[in-house]
Every structure is written in C-alpha cells, then in structure tokens.
Amino acid sequence: MKKIFLLFLFPFPLTAQSDYPQNYFRNPLDIPIMLAGNFGELRENHFHTGIDITTHGVEGLPVHAAADGYVSRIKVGPFGYGKVIYITHPNGYVSVYGHLSEFNDAIGTYVGKEQYKDESFEVELQLQPDEIKVKKGDVIAYSGNTGNSGGPHLHFEIRDEKTEDALNPLLFGLPVKDDVAPVPVTLLVCPAEPGASVNGKNEAVKFALKISGGKYILANATDSIVVHGKIGFAIEGYDKETVSNGKNGVYSIELDEEKKMIYKHHLERLPFDDLRYINAFIDYDEYEEHSHFYQCSFVLPNNILPIYDSVVNNGYVNFNSDSKISFRYLLGDAFANKAIFDFKVKSLARSPVPARMGLTPYVHVLLWDTTNLIDESSFQLSTPSRAFYENEELIFNIALEKKGFASSVSFPENIPVQQSCSFTLYADIPENMRAKSFIVQKTKSGHYSYIGGSWSGNGITADIKSFGTFMIMSDTTAPSIHTSNFDMKTKQEDLSSLSSMKFTIGDNLSGIKSYRATIDGKWVLMQYEPKKKMIWYTFDEHCGKGEHDLVLVVTDKCGNSSTYTKHFTR
C-alpha cells in the first residue's frame, strides 16, 4: 500500500527523567526478579505498562505488598489482568499486582461477599483508606495466570496516583541485575514521499546488523544505503537482563546525524489513554506483514505520545545532494547500558525513481485531521477526525462470500486505526434472522471474529478499530456445555468426594456472553477461565450436605441459550 505524505510541524513535550524513591518498593515475590517482560515493551495495539516477573511456570507463589498502604481497588474478570489488586501508598504512588490466582483470606472473603451481593463473577471494587490496610511485606495474594496471560507470572505496575499514568518500575531501584546492553537487530530505511528512494526503489529496505569491536555495523560488508529525498529510519532491537535470556523492550533510542541528535525518546511514563498510539510509534506495515516491531525514529502527524525528548524535522532527513552522511543509533536500558550502531548513507542529488502520478479513481484518501465518509451501495464507512496517524489511501474490494448472506468488503489490513470508526454493511436479511445476524471480521488464519452490530433498515452498523475483511453471518446454535469432573448424563449422583463442579463451555461463532448457575434456586459463584473454556464452582457454605439441584444456563451474544440441570447429593 502506498500513502500520501505531507509535512506537519508541531511541538513535542520534553520529558526529563525525574528522581524516584529508591528501594521504597520491595520485590513483591520471594524469588529473585527475572523479567519475562519490561515497561514499554511493544505489544499488539499497546505498550506494556509494567514488568512481568517470571514465576518459572509455577502458580500460587505468595505475593507481598511492595510497601505500606491500603487496598484501594480490586478487580476480578476473565480478561485483562484477571484477578488484580491495587494498593495506594502514602507517597503518591499506586502499586498493581495482576494475573493473581487467589487473594489472601481477608481480601478473598471481602471479594466473595461482593460477588454474591452482585451475583456476578466479574466485579470492580473501590475501597476506602480505612477498609483494608497493608504493611510492606504482607502477603496479599498468590501468583497465577488469570486474565489475558500467556503463562504463569506476576504483572507488577507502579502508577502515579494523581494522573494514573503508568511509571517504569525499573526506575525505583527494584533488585534487578542488569549489566547487559540492548541488542539492535535490523535497520529499516523508509522513503517518506513519492519521489524518495532507497537503493533505487520507492520502498522500505531492511539491513541486518552484527556486532564488531564493541559496536554494531551492517552485517553484510557489501551492503550500501543509497537514498534520495525525504527518508525516515526505524530500528528493530531488544533488551535483556544479566540473569535472563528473555527479549524485552528497549528503554531509550537516540539517532544522531553527523554527531548531532535528531531524534530521541525514552519510556519513563505512559498515560493509559495513549497506549494505542504504539501503532504510530512502530512501522505498522512491517508489523502487519511480518509481525516484527520496528521502532520509528520519525513522528507521524497524529502521534501524541509524551515520550519524545528531541525531534528535529519530525525525525525525517532530506537527502538532496551528492554526499556521504554518518549516522549513529544509541539504544539504552534503564540501567545506563548502551549499544552503539554506526552507519553511513550515500545521498543522491537526483531521484532514480519517477514521482507518482495522480490517484486512480477507485482510491479513497482518508485524511487524518478531519472526518471522512465513504458511502457505497454495499457499505458505508464514517471515520472521526484523528482516527488515523497520517493520510491514508483506502482501496476496497467487494466479493461474494459463500458463508454469509451478503457480500464481503475487504480493506487493506495495514492501515492502523486509533479511534473507532462507524461501519455499515447493507444486506437483504430476513426480518426473523436479524437478531441472529451480525458483522464478523475474517482473521489472518481464516477464522471469523465477532464484531456485532445493530440493524436499521437494511443495514447493520458496528464500530470497528481495525481494517480487514468484513461480512455478515448468523448464529442460531446454542452454546455447548460439558462436565469435566463428573458424569454429565447421570441424573442423580453423589458428589461428596469432589471439592468442585467443573464445566467446559463453548460457542461456535458469536461467543459466550453470559452464564448463570443456581443451586436450589440460589445463585452460586462460578469462576471463569476463557483460555481453558472452563467454569467451576468450589463447594462452600452455599451448598451443604444433602440433596441439591443445579441449574446452569449459558448464553451466547446472539441470545442462544443452553441449560444443564443436575440433581446431586453432598
């Protein structure tokens, strides 16, 4: 996909690293800190806002309060941080402990009462300073793998209480051993206007790197970088610590031209509202096509990240004369370890590629700083101002899909979207099927992801935050329910030897919306772990000895429900 490039000049906030209290916070675990992820690490659609401390595949390790304070917030849910505790400290910081398996007895009892009060597994509780006070070192919970976690670990954050910004925990003197510099891996050289070129082409070119004499250079001695016009640079790299081989994020990146700084950022503080701007921070084409994170040393017009120390000419360099120019990248971590990468660029006075001609009629230009409306017979797309990071060219295709009632509409997947856009698909869906019909987005793997939507006339409208292939499908199949630790078909069973009742639940398309379990007509707490498609009830005071009747109802996002009943004894 080619783009329209315009020059925008705007001021950048200058961030200076502040002094943070050293050794105020203790290690929240009893084992040495080994990082599975660090602050500012690049993730899909967001920066990582804390550090992930590995628990070596183990759940149930004691999690300690990092400092004196009070539990100010508790959240339980199937996604995000799963089970998470927030502690507010008297010095104006908040520590966060995510993906927990269980709370301590006092906190667990408090949360359980609120769950039964609300008749909901998912709760978000705001506490007063005098409700649950903690001392530094108190066991508040146990490590786990709940929520959007790819394996057992503790997610630990430090936030600014006033702004709620996430702060880099590695700046607080936590006992992390790191005397290893970051590792630059690949340089990406990007033409930033139609007539610009890299090695004779108007397309980005990659150059592998290697270390030599304590510095990084181009890996292939025969490689040369020949450029003309407006050019941006991006670099792929990672950081690691002394005792771990994990590939984590880089704290700071600086680019110098002829020994003068033209770009620098560092990851000290991140507002949560700005995390999605990672899609302007990275080269989005490379991420979509190859799943690689190249960190751009230039700043797109709609990039408001407050991480930049110095940016000259928005980070771009104009090459319009016959000359050779030296550049230096410096990649640093939070412990002052630095890697140096030196390279030279040959500049050409004249472009070896012709300038682009006018746009073809089927291309729509999406402007980043105003609203856009595309109204076609098959669909309508409405985008708010600042939905994109720069002007984009949108090419769409309409094709008949065999699995849906209507034609599919395909947009390029490599256009990043910052704000939700309104998307309408038109189709002649029978009235009696509309409640079961919705928009789906086809994933790269060929699966269908539920988007939803509401009907008006012959159009169904939903908010989208990424591009790709969209179509209308229907779901008339009820969710599935299967027992995991007892006989599903036996009508009456003695379960007195079990500590819990476990079920696996699933849905063929739209996904699980809700579930509800009652024993003898009274609601009971079912935990939910979507990664395992599992729900379970741990027998407690709400189900004593004797005969009981269970009713479990699982409903999907289209209102299809399945009901399972069981008569059992304890």
Side-chain angles (χ1 to χ4, degrees), residues 65 81 107 126 136 150 238 263-264 266 353 411 470 486 523 531-532:
Y81 294 160
I107 296 174
Q126 305 288 340
K136 186 174 185 176
Y238 62 87
Y263 172 93
K264 185 179 181 181
H266 73 279
V353 298
F411 302 112
F470 300 92
F486 60 93
W523 184 88
K531 294 191 293 292
K532 299 179 181 179

Side-chain angles (χ1 to χ4, degrees), residues 170-413:
L170 298 182
L171 303 178
F172 287 79
L174 290 171
V176 177
K177 185 174 177 57
D178 188 350
D179 55 13
V180 181
V183 179
V185 176
T186 312
L187 174 70
L188 185 70
V189 186
C190 311
E193 61 185 2
S197 65
V198 180
N199 289 359
K201 296 181 179 181
N202 184 234
E203 59 187 42
V205 180
K206 302 173 190 174
F207 299 89
L209 313 181
K210 70 176 182 180
I211 192 167
S212 176
K215 297 181 181 180
Y216 287 84
I217 60 174
L218 297 181
N220 190 339
T222 63
D223 278 346
S224 61
I225 305 174
V226 182
V227 297
H228 171 82
K230 183 180 174 183
I231 299 294
F233 298 95
I235 194 160
E236 179 188 26
Y238 62 87
D239 189 28
K240 57 183 182 180
E241 56 182 328
T242 305
V243 296
S244 173
N245 292 322
K247 296 182 178 181
N248 301 321
V250 177
Y251 173 69
S252 67
I253 294 180
E254 176 182 331
L255 178 62
D256 298 343
E257 177 189 1
E258 296 292 346
K259 298 183 179 180
K260 293 182 180 179
M261 184 191 301
I262 63 172
Y263 172 93
K264 185 179 181 181
H265 80 262
H266 73 279
L267 296 170
E268 172 190 348
R269 171 188 294 258
L270 287 168
F272 280 85
D273 288 344
D274 295 347
L275 298 184
R276 193 177 177 86
Y277 283 95
I278 188 176
N279 293 328
F281 177 75
I282 63 173
D283 186 284
Y284 196 77
D285 285 348
E286 279 296 323
Y287 174 70
E288 274 296 317
E289 293 176 17
H290 305 294
S291 299
H292 283 223
F293 286 110
Y294 284 87
Q295 302 178 62
C296 297
S297 302
F298 52 90
V299 181
L300 299 181
N302 184 27
N303 178 353
I304 65 171
L305 285 169
I307 63 174
Y308 300 103
D309 301 293
S310 178
V311 181
V312 178
N313 194 34
N314 292 353
Y316 295 104
V317 182
N318 291 296
F319 297 95
N320 296 303
S321 63
D322 292 323
S323 59
K324 281 192 175 182
I325 304 172
S326 297
F327 289 88
R328 167 171 285 186
Y329 262 113
L330 295 98
L331 280 65
D333 63 21
F335 300 91
N337 302 300
K338 285 192 175 181
I340 297 174
F341 162 48
D342 288 325
F343 63 102
K344 293 182 182 294
V345 168
K346 181 180 180 181
S347 171
L348 299 179
R350 295 189 177 185
S351 173
V353 298
R356 286 181 60 204
M357 304 302 291
L359 296 176
T360 54
Y362 57 88
V363 176
H364 289 267
V365 178
L366 300 173
L367 302 178
W368 72 270
D369 60 347
T370 187
T371 60
N372 298 275
L373 178 65
I374 301 175
D375 198 355
E376 297 285 336
S377 59
S378 298
F379 75 93
Q380 182 183 90
L381 176 67
S382 176
T383 73
S385 177
R386 307 186 78 90
F388 309 104
Y389 306 111
E390 61 180 332
N391 294 341
E392 300 278 4
E393 291 180 13
L394 183 72
I395 304 173
F396 63 86
N397 293 305
I398 300 174
L400 182 64
E401 276 282 354
K402 296 180 180 179
K403 291 188 177 182
F405 286 107
S407 300
S408 67
V409 177
S410 297
F411 302 112
E413 294 179 346

Side-chain angles (χ1 to χ4, degrees), residues 51-73:
I51 58 174
D52 287 343
I53 306 174
T54 181
T55 58
H56 308 286
V58 176
E59 297 186 42
L61 298 183
V63 176
H64 301 269
D68 293 354
Y70 71 95
V71 176
S72 53
R73 182 182 173 196

Side-chain angles (χ1 to χ4, degrees), residues 378-380 404-409 411 421-427 429 433-442 448-455 458-464 466 468-475 509-510 557-558:
S378 298
F379 75 93
Q380 182 183 90
F405 286 107
S407 300
S408 67
V409 177
F411 302 112
C421 303
S422 178
F423 178 66
T424 301
L425 269 174
Y426 299 111
I429 305 296
M433 286 297 299
R434 292 191 175 186
K436 306 292 185 182
S437 301
F438 47 90
I439 297 176
V440 296
Q441 184 172 5
K442 185 183 289 185
Y448 297 95
S449 176
Y450 175 88
I451 301 296
S454 58
W455 285 92
N458 66 336
I460 181 171
T461 301
D463 288 337
I464 61 172
S466 64
T469 298
F470 300 92
M471 59 182 294
I472 299 173
M473 297 187 74
S474 62
D475 183 357
L509 187 55
S510 63
K557 294 175 183 176
C558 283

